[in-house]
Amino acid sequence: MTALRWAVADGWTVTLRDLTHKANQPVQLVINLLFSVMVLLMFSYLFGGAMDVPGGNYQEFLVPGVLALTMVFGIEAMFTAVSTDVNRGVTDRFRSMPMAPSAVVLGRCAADMIDAVLALTALVAAGLAIGWEWHNGLPSALAAFGLLLLLRLAMLWMGIYLGLVLRNPEAVMALQILVWPLGFLSNAFVSPGTMPGWLGAIAEWNPLSATAAATRELFGNPGWGGDSSILLAVGWPVLLIAVFCPLAIRRYRDLSR
Amino acid sequence: MPAPAVVAENLRKRYGETQALDGLDLTVAPGAVHGLLGPNGAGKTTAVRVLTTLLRPDSGHASVAGCDVLRQPADVRQKIGLVGQNAAVDELLSGRQNLVMFGRLYHLGVAAARRRADELLERFRLADTGGKPVSKYSGGMRRRLDLAAGLIMAPAVLFLDEPTTGLDPRGRNDVWDAVRSLAAGGTTVVLTTQYLEEADQLAGRISVIDHGRVIAEGTPDSLKRQIGADRIDVVVRHTADVPAAAALLARVAGATAETLPEQRRVSAPVRDRMAALAALVPALTAEGIDAEDVVLRRPTLDEVFLQLTDKKEVVA
């Protein structure tokens, strides 16, 4: 039991470390939050006029898409944190200390989930301000937020794995750029039905699309989701976690090989 | 004799084609400052990574502070401090926040971690800048903070991997002072370095490492003796006299003399220091060689090292 107690205590210390980063850089924190809000407003007011959503307005369609896209940003935040620690030797220092090995990763995941909740809160506030709302009651809305956070968790494990594999901090640039086409190749902003056939098929299968469609369904917002979207929105992240969590753990252990 | 602080037996580690450790043996007495001296890629860092539980060797045994690094890694981690090649501190935290965080991860309580952080900041002359983010620190300040983080628990054995690489002379002196005061307090220190001067300055014993093996070991003085004799250097006033001086020195010393024409210097090992000196000075005059300086000296560690690692011998 003491081992578990220390694992929790160490994890919390690592979480605090990340929260302190934010407290030390309040401007950065605000910019990060404003960035997602800016994407929402840009699409809503710059492109929104040209969009025609069957059975609803574009804002109603857009907000769940941007929420899901913002969850995907977790991959690069985690990647940057992990690869920076490995490259600076901070990971080695942790590994040479009598702390719980799991704490390094779990503590950071917890901190990032707090981040994700902050980002969701900012976006929801902005969404409500531009006329979006949920129509199926609070329990369904909470379930939708749960699915969004589940997607975030899956992205975090991918980020941990990539950070341990690529290590090179410059790779974050490539990742930051790649997130956009991957984000747009989905139903976040438009219906995949408007894309060329094969692209549309990829977009339909994008895990981001599954979560966006399921949250639209739960919020009662217009979309093109089929019956299976909630199942997919659970299945995709769970599958990704089932693949990348063991990979990341093995990669972390391999640091000592 | 007390139990050694560090023991390594026949450590081997292979990375693809590179045999990073090739049967490394090491014994470090408690309270000693032990230098691991070798060129880049000799295996020093690999050895430190094995001893600090960061890396599993392919074969061999090692124990630190009485605990086996493979079977009791958690116990080893309680007893060591590691200061690696990078300043392994968090750039986005302040110096104090870094030390408190590491203190908490060593399972100090909040109050104890804060107190320890303040003590260490004071000791490493960071008290005034402890509140600033590390990203604003100079290289020397980062190193001192890094060193402080390695000392949070007053470790039984402190490992320093090239602690002064990339530091200016002032930063280097800071690290040296810190190591000396630790050694005076009884901490066992294992430090790797490429700088012979650093090993000579700090270490009571030196293991010279090359190609993953210890190729010589001893005190700095005994290493110099092991490599042989003291040397006589002659510096002549005119470059034209260098060949004549070399011939004369070779005759007096009974050994081949090396020449460094650009320094107008010739050098040779001697057995009987005083006899050689007594014979040399009048002979220089008799042959009309205009000598500027005649020096009787111990070999430098550079000469020791280069001779041991089988490279071309030079006069430093």
Side-chain angles (χ1 to χ4, degrees):
Chain A
M1 275 324 278
T2 50
L4 182 65
R5 206 165 60 84
W6 280 128
V8 172
D10 292 347
W12 174 238
T13 303
V14 174
T15 304
L16 270 184
R17 170 200 182 197
D18 263 50
L19 297 181
T20 312
H21 285 174
K22 298 199 197 333
N24 286 356
Q25 300 178 290
V27 176
Q28 191 67 41
L29 176 67
V30 171
I31 288 175
N32 282 346
L33 291 178
L34 285 183
F35 181 74
S36 297
V37 172
M38 186 191 74
V39 170
L40 177 69
L41 296 180
M42 268 172 52
F43 276 85
S44 176
Y45 292 117
L46 302 184
F47 297 94
M51 302 291 185
D52 189 17
V53 180
N57 68 25
Y58 186 59
Q59 274 79 4
E60 288 270 287
F61 172 81
L62 178 67
V63 169
V66 177
L67 290 175
L69 178 69
T70 303
M71 295 302 99
V72 174
F73 290 157
I75 195 171
E76 63 185 64
M78 191 54 122
F79 174 89
T80 309
V82 170
S83 61
T84 305
D85 271 0
V86 169
N87 284 304
R88 288 202 192 284
V90 175
T91 303
D92 277 350
R93 166 155 272 152
F94 285 148
R95 291 174 63 233
S96 78
M97 290 170 60
M99 63 184 286
S102 62
V104 181
V105 163
L106 297 184
R108 244 218 73 82
C109 277
D112 189 275
M113 292 310 272
I114 293 172
D115 248 15
V117 170
L118 284 178
L120 285 181
T121 308
L123 275 173
V124 165
L128 291 171
I130 63 170
W132 165 84
E133 56 189 312
W134 60 73
H135 305 282
N136 294 345
L138 192 60
S140 290
L142 289 177
F145 292 128
L147 286 180
L148 288 164
L149 292 174
L150 181 65
L151 178 66
R152 177 71 158 213
L153 194 60
M155 294 299 123
L156 295 186
W157 280 105
M158 287 178 73
I160 293 167
Y161 176 69
L162 290 175
L164 289 171
V165 171
L166 297 173
R167 295 201 188 179
N168 181 358
E170 278 84 59
V172 75
M173 284 291 287
L175 209 60
Q176 272 170 344
I177 293 166
L178 270 176
V179 161
W180 290 99
L182 289 178
F184 278 71
L185 190 51
S186 71
N187 65 14
F189 299 103
V190 295
S191 161
T194 63
M195 302 175 190
W198 60 276
L199 265 181
I202 297 176
E204 299 254 21
W205 280 100
N206 190 333
L208 196 167
S209 297
T211 301
T215 50
R216 280 175 189 135
E217 204 177 315
L218 287 165
F219 287 139
N221 295 143
W224 293 269
D227 292 337
S228 63
S229 63
I230 291 180
L231 207 63
L232 265 181
V234 175
W236 256 127
V238 168
L239 177 70
L240 288 173
I241 292 170
V243 169
F244 284 99
C245 177
L247 279 177
I249 290 172
R250 204 174 73 188
R251 196 76 197 183
Y252 188 79
R253 294 218 173 111
D254 281 357
L255 289 174
S256 64
R257 292 205 341 187
Chain B
M1 182 172 162
V6 177
V7 181
E9 283 166 3
N10 202 17
L11 290 179
R12 289 176 193 280
K13 181 74 189 177
R14 190 175 188 86
Y15 291 114
E17 291 297 293
T18 315
Q19 190 73 44
L21 294 178
D22 190 12
L24 183 114
D25 294 309
L26 185 68
T27 306
V28 178
V33 178
H34 197 107
L36 303 181
L37 175 64
N40 250 335
K44 307 183 299 287
T45 295
T46 309
V48 166
R49 289 178 67 80
V50 169
L51 294 173
T52 53
T53 76
L54 295 180
L55 190 67
R56 297 181 72 85
D58 296 336
S59 66
H61 295 284
S63 69
V64 173
C67 304
D68 189 292
V69 296
L70 288 175
R71 274 173 297 174
Q72 305 159 274
D75 296 331
V76 171
R77 289 176 199 143
Q78 295 278 5
K79 295 178 177 179
I80 60 168
L82 168 64
V83 179
Q85 286 189 10
N86 312 319
V89 286
D90 188 326
E91 298 267 311
L92 299 176
L93 297 181
S94 71
R96 179 174 285 102
Q97 286 168 338
N98 263 287
L99 293 179
V100 172
M101 170 185 70
F102 288 122
R104 295 287 287 143
L105 292 175
Y106 276 113
H107 301 162
L108 292 179
V110 176
R114 288 192 182 140
R115 209 163 45 234
R116 187 66 182 143
D118 285 333
E119 277 167 27
L120 287 165
L121 289 170
E122 189 71 43
R123 174 162 163 200
F124 287 96
R125 294 191 287 111
L126 293 166
D128 296 341
T129 44
K132 281 194 187 164
V134 172
S135 53
K136 300 228 160 70
Y137 279 23
S138 70
M141 288 162 70
R142 269 170 224 233
R143 261 292 169 202
R144 296 207 301 273
L145 181 66
D146 196 30
L147 207 52
L151 294 175
I152 286 172
M153 291 309 274
V157 184
L158 178 67
F159 291 89
L160 301 170
D161 194 7
E162 304 200 358
T164 59
T165 300
L167 288 189
D168 58 18
R170 187 176 146 82
R172 191 191 59 179
N173 283 336
D174 283 341
V175 172
W176 285 7
D177 288 345
V179 171
R180 287 192 187 110
S181 80
L182 283 171
T187 306
T188 308
V189 180
V190 176
L191 95 144
T192 76
T193 180
Q194 303 184 43
Y195 306 121
L196 310 154
E197 187 198 356
E198 185 159 273
D200 202 6
Q201 284 276 337
L202 297 177
R205 281 185 83 77
I206 297 173
S207 296
V208 184
I209 297 185
D210 197 33
H211 295 112
R213 233 179 332 211
V214 174
I215 55 170
E217 189 177 313
T219 63
D221 280 345
S222 79
L223 274 182
K224 289 173 190 167
R225 266 200 305 278
Q226 193 178 329
I227 210 65
D230 290 347
R231 305 185 70 99
I232 288 185
D233 286 10
V234 177
V235 181
V236 295
R237 208 173 292 281
H238 308 291
T239 312
D241 283 340
V242 166
L248 170 61
L249 182 58
R251 203 165 66 239
V252 171
T256 315
E258 292 137 33
T259 59
L260 278 176
E262 64 275 18
Q263 292 180 21
R264 305 188 312 281
R265 181 188 291 264
V266 298
S267 172
V270 288
R271 287 243 159 61
D272 187 338
R273 297 148 47 101
M274 292 317 292
L277 193 60
L280 180 65
V281 175
L284 283 169
T285 316
E287 298 202 10
I289 297 170
D290 191 359
E292 200 171 76
D293 200 1
V294 175
V295 187
L296 189 57
R297 63 177 179 87
R298 319 292 304 272
T300 65
L301 264 175
D302 280 292
E303 288 162 325
V304 171
F305 185 72
L306 289 167
Q307 190 147 339
L308 287 169
T309 54
D310 214 6
K311 288 181 187 154
K312 191 183 169 310
E313 198 178 349
V314 296
V315 178

